[in-house]
Amino acid sequence: MEIAAFFLFFVVLLVHCLMASSAVAVRTNITTDQSALLALKDHITDGPHKILASNWSNSTSVCNWIGIICGAKHHRVTTLNLAHMGLSGTIAPQVGNLTFLSHLSFRNNNFHGSLPNELAALRRLENVSFGLNVFSGVLPSWLGILPKLQELYAYSNSFEGSIPESLGNISSLKVLHLSENNLSGVIPKSLGNCTSLEIIHLDDNNFTGEIPLEIVVLQNLTEVSLANNSLAGHIPDAIFNSSKIEVISLYMNQLSSHLPPSIGNWLPNLKVLYLWGNELEGIIPSSVSNASMLVELELGANYFSGSVPNTLGNLRHLERLNLVNNYLTSDSSTLEWSFLSSLTNCVNLTSIVVAENPLNGTLPISIGNFSTSLEEFVAFNCNIKGIIPRDIGNLSNLMTLHLENNELVGPIPSTVGGMRNLQGLYLQHNRLQRSIPNGTCQLKNLDELFLNHNKLFGPIPTCWGSLSKLQKLYLNSNKLTSIPSSFWSLTEILQINLSSNSLSGYLPLDVGKLEHVTQMDLSWNKLSGDIHAIRGLCSLVSLSLAHNKFQGPIPQSFGNLISMEHLDLSDNNFSAEIPKSLMKLKCLKYFNVSFNRLQGEIPFGGAIAQFLASSFMGNQALCGPPQLKVPPCETSNVGQSTTTGMRGEENFNAKLDCMLSVMQLAMDCSIEAPEERSNMRDVVTTLKNIKLKFLKDVGED
């Protein structure tokens, strides 16, 4: 009995000791995790909201801290998620003590430095994200000894060197995302031992060599992105035989050779094929249309030749087609682009880009059959002949139409007004004729209109005054005859080029309404009359009125155009003196008043002092310094230096004055933005202090 009692006592004591020991171990482990996290906190500069400072404290349980999840069984930290917190700093080595960690994320912060070797102890890690930080150094080889790792995200950092061969040891790895780093060398044949790999992104690095066959034959691969590297050689045919693959992105490399004839036959799930910006050649196989799930097909900037397959219309899910800058032609059996007719079957198509190809032929009438999903049609420099079909007006959701640099003839169809969502219309460098149709007035969303270098004639439409969103207008090199008064109501316009037409009439005071315009070219027309004092135009940088019939004095108000860099008034009938107010144009880089009837002393000061005789030639009654090849003046009223050009000090001082003038202009134009005005005022104060110090240093008052 005594032995039994002693044995029972021993068992109870042993159980008690084990329970006590277990309790101590738990307490020790929780303390270990807490210490590791507090060490990490000491390595971090907290974000703007001071989340960690207010939350990670000894007054609450570690498992209640933000970004922390503990396991129910062992009460250890299993998840550390600091993503999107605006943090900066380095990773403390003590993080390696969080040995129960399975999910670790520092994504989208400002962490820097290298990855500490102590993290190799985190043998339970399954998901790791270092993406969108500024980590540097090499990718550590210890990543390859994490036996349970499934997802590794280290994109958008500054990692360098090669990919460690040891990554091939991780048979559980499903996602490898190392894009946008400075990684180099060849891609190891070992990213191939990862038989579970589904997604591999190595784009935007400096990898060289060929695409390893061992990668593209992985049976579970759904996405492979090796774009924007320096990979060469041929694309392994095996990549086009993967039944699970959905994304193939190999653009911007030096890949060469032909596409396999059966390219689309074994790609039932392919949605994205990006091969643009390589050195691929040969034809585009018609079998590509057998990849029936394709959504985006981009083959531009290669050396493809032959005709565009008429079978592309079988890609019923296609949204984007880009074949730009190749040597493709249209079907020789017909004058029309038959492949375009085929594409009208793609009811989800939003973008067609076929520019920079010698396609020849004409646009088919069926262009109007595209569904309302089409938003972009780009076909410049394609040798298109014939007319623009009237049915093009059916493209009611089109936002951009590029048909420039072709051989189009006939009128701009009045039906263009049906493209109500159009924002950019580019028809320049064709042979379009007749007048500009009033249908263009219905394009209320238009912000860029290029009709230059055609044979258009007649007046600019009066109704254009209602195109309130127009910012860029190029009508130069046509045969247009008049500008309606409503034209000067385009108050949002930034760039105007009406040069090389047959425009007549005068320049009204209403031109001053164009308060945002930066460039205006009215040269080589038949405009005449006096130019009255113009108010506004506070943003004007370039103005050309050359080769017209303007007369009378150059307005003194031109001196208020303080942002002006390019002013050309040559070959007119301007008379009287050159206004001294022009010396206030501190930013002036080009100035020409040659071949007018100007007289009196050239105001040779400020930025004007840098210009040569060619800027003033052809005026019989001007006088000034001898380097301008004009007679000397009897008296000098300007009181400016007559040396050739400006000294270095004068040049620097002029640049300071230019910056001050521009900043003052910006303040004047920002009346409704008090915060911006305050910031600009600080800049002006700084510039003035620099100027005062400069003047003091060169000994001027």
PDB file of all heavy atoms in Angstrom, residues 199-210:
ATOM      1  N   ILE A 199       2.307  31.167 -60.846  1.00  0.00           N
ATOM      2  CA  ILE A 199       2.497  32.547 -61.316  1.00  0.00           C
ATOM      3  C   ILE A 199       3.964  32.923 -61.142  1.00  0.00           C
ATOM      4  O   ILE A 199       4.514  32.815 -60.042  1.00  0.00           O
ATOM      5  CB  ILE A 199       1.609  33.524 -60.519  1.00  0.00           C
ATOM      6  CG1 ILE A 199       0.127  33.219 -60.754  1.00  0.00           C
ATOM      7  CG2 ILE A 199       1.914  34.971 -60.908  1.00  0.00           C
ATOM      8  CD1 ILE A 199      -0.805  34.033 -59.893  1.00  0.00           C
ATOM      9  N   ILE A 200       4.604  33.396 -62.227  1.00  0.00           N
ATOM     10  CA  ILE A 200       5.979  33.879 -62.153  1.00  0.00           C
ATOM     11  C   ILE A 200       6.061  35.230 -62.853  1.00  0.00           C
ATOM     12  O   ILE A 200       5.763  35.339 -64.047  1.00  0.00           O
ATOM     13  CB  ILE A 200       6.975  32.864 -62.751  1.00  0.00           C
ATOM     14  CG1 ILE A 200       8.389  33.432 -62.702  1.00  0.00           C
ATOM     15  CG2 ILE A 200       6.594  32.442 -64.160  1.00  0.00           C
ATOM     16  CD1 ILE A 200       9.465  32.418 -63.001  1.00  0.00           C
ATOM     17  N   HIS A 201       6.432  36.256 -62.099  1.00  0.00           N
ATOM     18  CA  HIS A 201       6.572  37.610 -62.624  1.00  0.00           C
ATOM     19  C   HIS A 201       8.000  38.080 -62.371  1.00  0.00           C
ATOM     20  O   HIS A 201       8.391  38.321 -61.233  1.00  0.00           O
ATOM     21  CB  HIS A 201       5.602  38.566 -61.933  1.00  0.00           C
ATOM     22  CG  HIS A 201       4.193  38.426 -62.377  1.00  0.00           C
ATOM     23  ND1 HIS A 201       3.248  39.415 -62.203  1.00  0.00           N
ATOM     24  CD2 HIS A 201       3.541  37.425 -63.013  1.00  0.00           C
ATOM     25  CE1 HIS A 201       2.081  39.017 -62.689  1.00  0.00           C
ATOM     26  NE2 HIS A 201       2.243  37.805 -63.186  1.00  0.00           N
ATOM     27  N   LEU A 202       8.765  38.214 -63.451  1.00  0.00           N
ATOM     28  CA  LEU A 202      10.148  38.688 -63.368  1.00  0.00           C
ATOM     29  C   LEU A 202      10.354  39.912 -64.249  1.00  0.00           C
ATOM     30  O   LEU A 202      11.489  40.259 -64.587  1.00  0.00           O
ATOM     31  CB  LEU A 202      11.114  37.576 -63.806  1.00  0.00           C
ATOM     32  CG  LEU A 202      11.033  36.249 -63.043  1.00  0.00           C
ATOM     33  CD1 LEU A 202      12.044  35.260 -63.603  1.00  0.00           C
ATOM     34  CD2 LEU A 202      11.278  36.471 -61.559  1.00  0.00           C
ATOM     35  N   ASP A 203       9.289  40.579 -64.643  1.00  0.00           N
ATOM     36  CA  ASP A 203       9.388  41.697 -65.572  1.00  0.00           C
ATOM     37  C   ASP A 203      10.066  42.915 -64.937  1.00  0.00           C
ATOM     38  O   ASP A 203      10.179  43.033 -63.722  1.00  0.00           O
ATOM     39  CB  ASP A 203       8.008  42.086 -66.112  1.00  0.00           C
ATOM     40  CG  ASP A 203       6.929  42.040 -65.053  1.00  0.00           C
ATOM     41  OD1 ASP A 203       6.750  40.978 -64.433  1.00  0.00           O
ATOM     42  OD2 ASP A 203       6.279  43.077 -64.822  1.00  0.00           O
ATOM     43  N   ASP A 204      10.524  43.825 -65.806  1.00  0.00           N
ATOM     44  CA  ASP A 204      11.173  45.077 -65.400  1.00  0.00           C
ATOM     45  C   ASP A 204      12.403  44.829 -64.541  1.00  0.00           C
ATOM     46  O   ASP A 204      12.545  45.363 -63.439  1.00  0.00           O
ATOM     47  CB  ASP A 204      10.169  45.986 -64.667  1.00  0.00           C
ATOM     48  CG  ASP A 204       9.050  46.444 -65.565  1.00  0.00           C
ATOM     49  OD1 ASP A 204       9.314  47.260 -66.460  1.00  0.00           O
ATOM     50  OD2 ASP A 204       7.913  45.972 -65.391  1.00  0.00           O
ATOM     51  N   ASN A 205      13.299  43.999 -65.057  1.00  0.00           N
ATOM     52  CA  ASN A 205      14.602  43.762 -64.448  1.00  0.00           C
ATOM     53  C   ASN A 205      15.654  43.823 -65.550  1.00  0.00           C
ATOM     54  O   ASN A 205      15.431  44.427 -66.595  1.00  0.00           O
ATOM     55  CB  ASN A 205      14.617  42.414 -63.720  1.00  0.00           C
ATOM     56  CG  ASN A 205      13.969  42.482 -62.347  1.00  0.00           C
ATOM     57  OD1 ASN A 205      14.527  43.068 -61.426  1.00  0.00           O
ATOM     58  ND2 ASN A 205      12.789  41.886 -62.208  1.00  0.00           N
ATOM     59  N   ASN A 206      16.796  43.207 -65.309  1.00  0.00           N
ATOM     60  CA  ASN A 206      17.887  43.242 -66.288  1.00  0.00           C
ATOM     61  C   ASN A 206      18.356  41.835 -66.657  1.00  0.00           C
ATOM     62  O   ASN A 206      19.541  41.609 -66.883  1.00  0.00           O
ATOM     63  CB  ASN A 206      19.068  44.046 -65.720  1.00  0.00           C
ATOM     64  CG  ASN A 206      18.688  45.461 -65.356  1.00  0.00           C
ATOM     65  OD1 ASN A 206      18.151  46.194 -66.181  1.00  0.00           O
ATOM     66  ND2 ASN A 206      18.953  45.864 -64.133  1.00  0.00           N
ATOM     67  N   PHE A 207      17.434  40.901 -66.732  1.00  0.00           N
ATOM     68  CA  PHE A 207      17.794  39.526 -67.036  1.00  0.00           C
ATOM     69  C   PHE A 207      18.262  39.388 -68.488  1.00  0.00           C
ATOM     70  O   PHE A 207      17.747  40.065 -69.388  1.00  0.00           O
ATOM     71  CB  PHE A 207      16.618  38.585 -66.785  1.00  0.00           C
ATOM     72  CG  PHE A 207      16.264  38.457 -65.332  1.00  0.00           C
ATOM     73  CD1 PHE A 207      15.029  38.885 -64.860  1.00  0.00           C
ATOM     74  CD2 PHE A 207      17.161  37.916 -64.426  1.00  0.00           C
ATOM     75  CE1 PHE A 207      14.691  38.778 -63.523  1.00  0.00           C
ATOM     76  CE2 PHE A 207      16.839  37.804 -63.081  1.00  0.00           C
ATOM     77  CZ  PHE A 207      15.614  38.233 -62.626  1.00  0.00           C
ATOM     78  N   THR A 208      19.210  38.497 -68.692  1.00  0.00           N
ATOM     79  CA  THR A 208      19.749  38.232 -70.024  1.00  0.00           C
ATOM     80  C   THR A 208      19.628  36.737 -70.320  1.00  0.00           C
ATOM     81  O   THR A 208      19.102  35.971 -69.522  1.00  0.00           O
ATOM     82  CB  THR A 208      21.222  38.667 -70.105  1.00  0.00           C
ATOM     83  OG1 THR A 208      21.966  38.012 -69.063  1.00  0.00           O
ATOM     84  CG2 THR A 208      21.363  40.172 -69.935  1.00  0.00           C
ATOM     85  N   GLY A 209      20.143  36.353 -71.481  1.00  0.00           N
ATOM     86  CA  GLY A 209      20.086  34.951 -71.857  1.00  0.00           C
ATOM     87  C   GLY A 209      18.747  34.577 -72.459  1.00  0.00           C
ATOM     88  O   GLY A 209      17.964  35.434 -72.865  1.00  0.00           O
ATOM     89  N   GLU A 210      18.473  33.299 -72.517  1.00  0.00           N
ATOM     90  CA  GLU A 210      17.243  32.794 -73.123  1.00  0.00           C
ATOM     91  C   GLU A 210      16.203  32.453 -72.058  1.00  0.00           C
ATOM     92  O   GLU A 210      16.512  32.372 -70.866  1.00  0.00           O
ATOM     93  CB  GLU A 210      17.552  31.552 -73.961  1.00  0.00           C
ATOM     94  CG  GLU A 210      18.472  31.827 -75.140  1.00  0.00           C
ATOM     95  CD  GLU A 210      18.607  30.625 -76.052  1.00  0.00           C
ATOM     96  OE1 GLU A 210      18.181  29.523 -75.649  1.00  0.00           O
ATOM     97  OE2 GLU A 210      19.122  30.793 -77.181  1.00  0.00           O
TER      98      GLU A 210
END
